[in-house]
Amino acid sequence: MNKLFDKLFPICRSITGSGLRKTLEILSEYIPLKKFNVKTGTQVLNWTIPKEWRVREAWLKGPDGKKIVDFNNHNLHLLNYSTPINKKLPLEELKDHLHTIPNQPDAIPYVTSYYKRRWGFCLRHSTYEHLKPGKYHAYIDSELVEGELNYGHAILPGESNKEILISSYICHPSMANNELSGPIVAAFLYNRLSNWSKRRFTYRFVFAPETIGAISYLDRFGKELQENLYSGLILNCIGGRSDLSYKLSRQENSPIDNIVKHLFNVDDNTPEGKIRSFTPIYGSDERQYCSPGFNLPIGQMARLVYGYSEYHTSLDNKELMTIEALHHSVNELEQIIKALELNGYYINQYPYGEVKLDQYDLYPDINSKRYEEHFKDKVIKNRNQLDQVLTILNYSDGLHSLYQIVEDYNYNILELSHVIEILKSRGLLKGPYFKEEV
Amino acid sequence: MNKLFDKLFPICRSITGSGLRKTLEILSEYIPLKKFNVKTGTQVLNWTIPKEWRVREAWLKGPDGKKIVDFNNHNLHLLNYSTPINKKLPLEELKDHLHTIPNQPDAIPYVTSYYKRRWGFCLRHSTYEHLKPGKYHAYIDSELVEGELNYGHAILPGESNKEILISSYICHPSMANNELSGPIVAAFLYNRLSNWSKRRFTYRFVFAPETIGAISYLDRFGKELQENLYSGLILNCIGGRSDLSYKLSRQENSPIDNIVKHLFNVDDNTPEGKIRSFTPIYGSDERQYCSPGFNLPIGQMARLVYGYSEYHTSLDNKELMTIEALHHSVNELEQIIKALELNGYYINQYPYGEVKLDQYDLYPDINSKRYEEHFKDKVIKNRNQLDQVLTILNYSDGLHSLYQIVEDYNYNILELSHVIEILKSRGLLKGPYFKEEV
Amino acid sequence: MNKLFDKLFPICRSITGSGLRKTLEILSEYIPLKKFNVKTGTQVLNWTIPKEWRVREAWLKGPDGKKIVDFNNHNLHLLNYSTPINKKLPLEELKDHLHTIPNQPDAIPYVTSYYKRRWGFCLRHSTYEHLKPGKYHAYIDSELVEGELNYGHAILPGESNKEILISSYICHPSMANNELSGPIVAAFLYNRLSNWSKRRFTYRFVFAPETIGAISYLDRFGKELQENLYSGLILNCIGGRSDLSYKLSRQENSPIDNIVKHLFNVDDNTPEGKIRSFTPIYGSDERQYCSPGFNLPIGQMARLVYGYSEYHTSLDNKELMTIEALHHSVNELEQIIKALELNGYYINQYPYGEVKLDQYDLYPDINSKRYEEHFKDKVIKNRNQLDQVLTILNYSDGLHSLYQIVEDYNYNILELSHVIEILKSRGLLKGPYFKEEV
């Protein structure tokens, strides 16, 4: 992870351009990405692909001829999507093109102007405050050209055509938590899942620029997702020294919503985290996936959520994000996905009366108050497991999902997998099925 | 209002008779009422129109020949629907025909005996206590004759055939809050709405005697209301120094129920008030409109609710009611009706992905942490309005009414009208529609 | 009750055998039971009828030749379903066949091994502790033979084919609360209901061994129950110095669930008790009736619920159970059943507008503040009864059951029967109907 981070961090990314393409190439070393492009001027949903932004060099020199900021030192110094300029101009005129954050004097702000043509520099307010009157030289060797927008995806097949989508975005320049954490965690999660011996779902991993990239993706694959998508997650700001934080899908009771709520609550062996309501006001690409026409069952997972003070500045760096947090995220996401795989509708094969469990070696053959006698040398090791057996069999009627059962009976869904395997191996239980199958 | 009150107050009204007709005539000076009558003996639903009550003179003289009570001084002195009498009788015999309120010695009670023939007088208990033994002369020149029951309505057309009904009753003699407040507020509300440049709904204003009048109205127009009624309000006891008080319709979630609950709660710019549950036990004409066969979406609005100590006595006068309270009621009812007009199902015309709002001049063209830069010279003035835009567009899917959106996102429905107008003018939004239209 | 208890208590019952048959014969003296049997080896649902257990004599003699325990003294001394033995063996070897409860030294435990062949004795731990080394003589004259399992039922017809099932079990040997309380209460409840002048429901009383008996019953009558059953109760542990305790059916909102919840809560004139959730983990025959294939609307009623310290020991005796508690249970169950009979969907025959109640002698003929005048010489005695009339008529629309009405308006359902009778006698109300009839 560390290596991947260090390769990706210095690249000047934007919603189009060579930095975006370079990022997709590096990710392809870790995941078998299939790459796509959309030409400038193409209509995608209610949007149009803009010209591609290319930048070679950019700096600002002071009256003394010394460079004050240089794109080569930190790519945040250049207003993202800046038009070209080569002009000497007095400080007062220059100030309209300078962006700072007065109450964060040491932070270079991240400023974009994708759809309105502007040129500009971003700098520390501490630098800005010491600018002296005089003639400045602003030099930006950039261009906006007919080009393309790029994105990629990787499909990991499973037993079912039903899909789980994992998406993150790759348009942010040199910032860490927002947003290298998402793509890196996605890449490593892909590898984790690809090593599973079997997968119930098909997994779709998407890497695209934020907003316009997601819109391009939906323009092409939206119909397919509406047909096949079971649930999904946008990964975003998923580093930092915080517990997980989950934003519900617009449906607010989609499979991923329910499973995450369950795992955050049920006990200490599952990920801890906070639930945020759905909102169309703030957020990431779930705003597109959850637009009313698509309304897909996709939530958003974060740790240190956008809005923290270092957000959208040069202070959003590796120390803030931490590689360790990304490891936690991969582990916790794997648990969540395991729970999604386990959930569903099971069917008790002998629903009339209780199953005669002792015939299947699943019930004590003596009944007394001496509990220790009951489970001697049995497959079922204790009363708790027996309770799980009885509960699962009673509610596996095609009307209760496993999620509903564990919520009603306060079990950790992941702990039931042992007993479910036993019941399936004895021919007593089949599943999991999807709702429309039962 | 004051003038109308002073004209109506002295009239001796009942469920039939000349006082009722006179009241309809006076109201006709303010509203273009269409008048209806129903003959004595006509079957209306489970009821029959009684004989018409006419009264010319009524007094009670003491042993000394002096008048103790006189109908000419206060029409409450006469038992409403009293049969005629001309008889001298001793005090002990007379007492069976005298009505007082012992614990309100200065109040003349309002007593009615519409359907059982009785004669009687109502008087202050302070007067009653000083009656001396002796022969009294009871004289009531009234008659119960084949006649008619009268009521009227006025229809104010709107863009839709869907109707909002406003009803109050006109059968109470000289009392103020109960019930001249209702008819007067209804008359002035009619004039307010008739001045609107456009109305979505058609408005139906009904003035009839309580209970038997409402039953007569439903007998004739009930079917029509079942077809066209969107929602409605019974106005009753709508004066006094109290906030509004709303009794839910029997459905308890009809449009008017939801809108009133919303406005009472949401913020300080909307009417304040209390919500009462629906009950068939006490109340006014909503008992008829909300009988199980009709079950119309009609609530009841009051201020100083029946049951106050002056209720049904001569102490229910103009000082208790106040003309100022009636003005408040008209203003607050207009706000409620504006919210009903605004509510409904809106449709985002570009539901796939977010709308590219900057193309419509509705979104900042720069993205930075410096919020003041975002809304410079924009149609959308601040983040709050932008949030409203995003929220309305995301949920205008034909499944969420505006009421549901404002409840979920804690907006004041009336404050959204500005942004809705902008979105409609840009071609981004259509509506409001009724549920059955989407 | 006392007599019946004393006859039944000494019998050595099990899930098969002569004790079971004897018990059915004695119960037949109180109820016209129809008896059924199922042969050893018959498949019933997922189970098979085991061999019949017969026992003649059983004792254990110490090294000194004296009897330590004797089946004739207390039938709990013999492991229920013990295989035969006639063997002298040293204490150490014997111990594998002895069952005690160390922390209840004076209790003989109740131990069963129906489906695994074992022999054994149960004894007080205080006896066990004083056993001395030496040769012991274990003698059990029992056999497991091709035979049958027995059960019985009695049907008490009513106006409707819809049934209410009352079931208890008859396989426990000499213990009182668990389980002679259930069969005795059921028998006396049968007699109570058979004396009613009319019954809306048909009542089905079932007496069978627990689990395998219920499974046999469902194997034969399950389909019939699925067609006709309205609701039902398993009676179990229904003695003891406790309030009633009700375990909800698996549906958790079946008619009996709702009525019991209502009566436990509403006021002091109805049975007190606690509600337990449904669980498939612990319980009695509701585990079979509420298995997912049947999912019948059957709850379980108890007083001193299984799990008490005397449970499944010789300390569960008549003093613990008390005959008085059984009397309470019969009375309280009768109230619950009366409420079930009263509940249902009523139909107001004049649903348009309010009924003109004074025409039916059900409304005051004068309206004043003097309430005492209103109800003089009326059928309706007070405002509370008038409120009941208005409430019942307003909600008797075929959509609200009486249960829903009393829950919304906080009436005791049983107290409404007076007013309902009056309304029915006046032709204003019909019912109760079942949901599918309206």
Side-chain angles (χ1 to χ4, degrees), chain C residues 62-64 89-92 94-95 128-136:
Chain C
D64 57 1
L89 70 180
L91 180 59
E92 281 320 294
L94 176 66
K95 278 188 171 176
Y128 177 88
E129 283 182 310
H130 294 100
L131 295 182
K132 298 203 171 96
K135 267 286 203 257
Y136 286 75

Side-chain angles (χ1 to χ4, degrees), chain A residues 100-108 123-129:
Chain A
T100 70
I101 311 173
N103 59 359
Q104 288 183 288
D106 294 329
I108 311 167
L123 62 164
R124 294 181 179 84
H125 199 71
S126 58
T127 307
Y128 176 88
E129 282 182 310

Side-chain angles (χ1 to χ4, degrees), chain B residues 33 36 51 74 91 93 103 125 157 163 175 190 213 228 235 253 285 288 294 333 363 394 417 428:
Chain B
L33 278 186
F36 301 87
K51 291 202 170 173
H74 203 306
L91 181 59
E93 196 182 323
N103 60 359
H125 199 70
E163 291 189 9
M175 289 172 293
Y190 178 95
N228 294 334
L235 304 185
N253 66 349
D285 287 332
Q288 311 311 325
F294 292 113
L333 288 167
Y363 201 79
N394 189 282
S417 82
L428 296 174

Side-chain angles (χ1 to χ4, degrees), chain B residues 37-76:
Chain B
N37 62 67
V38 202
K39 299 284 169 229
T40 295
T42 308
Q43 173 88 14
V44 283
L45 304 178
N46 194 244
W47 298 54
T48 307
I49 301 297
K51 291 202 170 173
E52 185 180 316
W53 185 51
R54 295 182 188 166
V55 54
R56 276 171 293 269
E57 195 181 346
W59 43 256
L60 177 66
K61 285 188 183 164
D64 58 3
K66 283 192 188 158
K67 281 185 182 166
I68 295 158
V69 298
D70 188 339
F71 175 67
N72 280 333
N73 291 339
H74 203 306
N75 60 42
L76 287 184

Side-chain angles (χ1 to χ4, degrees), chain B residues 37-142:
Chain B
N37 62 67
V38 202
K39 299 284 169 229
T40 295
T42 308
Q43 173 88 14
V44 283
L45 304 178
N46 194 244
W47 298 54
T48 307
I49 301 297
K51 291 202 170 173
E52 185 180 316
W53 185 51
R54 295 182 188 166
V55 54
R56 276 171 293 269
E57 195 181 346
W59 43 256
L60 177 66
K61 285 188 183 164
D64 58 3
K66 283 192 188 158
K67 281 185 182 166
I68 295 158
V69 298
D70 188 339
F71 175 67
N72 280 333
N73 291 339
H74 203 306
N75 60 42
L76 287 184
H77 278 314
L78 180 61
L79 172 78
N80 204 296
Y81 252 71
S82 177
T83 50
I85 193 80
N86 184 1
K87 188 179 182 183
K88 300 198 176 178
L89 70 179
L91 181 59
E92 281 319 294
E93 196 182 323
L94 175 66
K95 277 186 171 176
D96 286 350
H97 299 274
L98 299 184
H99 302 272
T100 71
I101 311 173
N103 60 359
Q104 289 183 286
D106 294 328
I108 311 166
Y110 168 52
V111 183
T112 67
S113 184
Y114 298 138
Y115 302 105
K116 163 112 179 186
R117 301 208 167 188
R118 275 193 179 87
W119 67 267
F121 292 97
C122 305
L123 63 164
R124 294 180 179 85
H125 199 70
S126 58
T127 307
Y128 176 88
E129 283 182 309
H130 294 99
L131 296 182
K132 297 198 173 102
K135 267 282 200 264
Y136 285 75
H137 186 182
Y139 181 79
I140 301 175
D141 179 9
S142 70

Side-chain angles (χ1 to χ4, degrees), chain B residues 236-412:
Chain B
N236 161 267
C237 295
I238 193 152
R241 291 173 183 83
S242 309
D243 284 341
L244 290 178
S245 171
Y246 178 72
K247 175 179 169 179
L248 295 169
S249 78
R250 184 175 181 270
Q251 303 177 14
E252 298 208 335
N253 66 349
S254 67
I256 181 78
D257 296 331
N258 291 336
I259 286 298
V260 171
K261 279 186 270 185
H262 170 67
L263 292 177
F264 280 4
N265 265 317
V266 69
D267 66 29
D268 294 344
N269 302 319
T270 55
E272 298 291 305
K274 275 191 210 140
I275 299 290
R276 287 170 282 147
S277 297
F278 177 77
T279 170
I281 295 174
Y282 298 99
S284 178
D285 287 332
E286 75 282 357
R287 289 164 57 175
Q288 311 311 325
Y289 287 98
C290 298
S291 57
F294 292 113
N295 194 27
L296 293 167
I298 290 179
Q300 180 227 75
M301 190 65 83
R303 298 197 94 89
L304 180 59
V305 183
Y306 40 83
Y308 50 95
S309 68
E310 300 88 349
Y311 174 73
H312 274 198
T313 76
S314 56
L315 305 181
D316 185 345
N317 56 29
K318 197 173 169 183
E319 286 66 44
L320 180 81
M321 179 192 82
T322 85
I323 296 293
E324 195 192 0
L326 306 196
H327 281 293
H328 283 318
S329 292
V330 173
N331 290 336
E332 294 180 328
L333 288 167
E334 190 184 21
Q335 277 197 286
I336 290 165
I337 290 171
K338 275 186 178 160
L340 275 173
E341 292 256 332
L342 192 64
N343 188 26
Y345 293 82
Y346 290 84
I347 306 288
N348 174 346
Q349 299 297 298
Y350 300 96
Y352 293 94
E354 284 183 330
V355 171
K356 191 160 194 304
L357 289 172
D358 61 327
Q359 284 178 179
Y360 303 89
D361 209 20
L362 300 174
Y363 201 79
D365 55 32
I366 191 167
N367 182 24
S368 76
K369 280 190 146 184
R370 301 274 297 256
Y371 261 79
E372 62 278 18
E373 298 172 1
H374 291 195
F375 298 99
K376 216 183 287 167
D377 312 321
K378 292 289 181 291
V379 172
I380 292 301
K381 295 300 176 206
N382 49 50
R383 181 74 217 189
N384 186 41
Q385 285 192 358
L386 179 56
D387 292 353
Q388 292 177 358
V389 165
L390 291 166
T391 305
I392 291 168
L393 287 175
N394 189 282
Y395 288 102
S396 291
D397 58 0
L399 299 169
H400 297 79
S401 70
L402 192 61
Y403 162 72
Q404 290 169 302
I405 299 172
V406 297
E407 280 293 285
D408 286 352
Y409 281 83
N410 208 28
Y411 287 118
N412 171 346

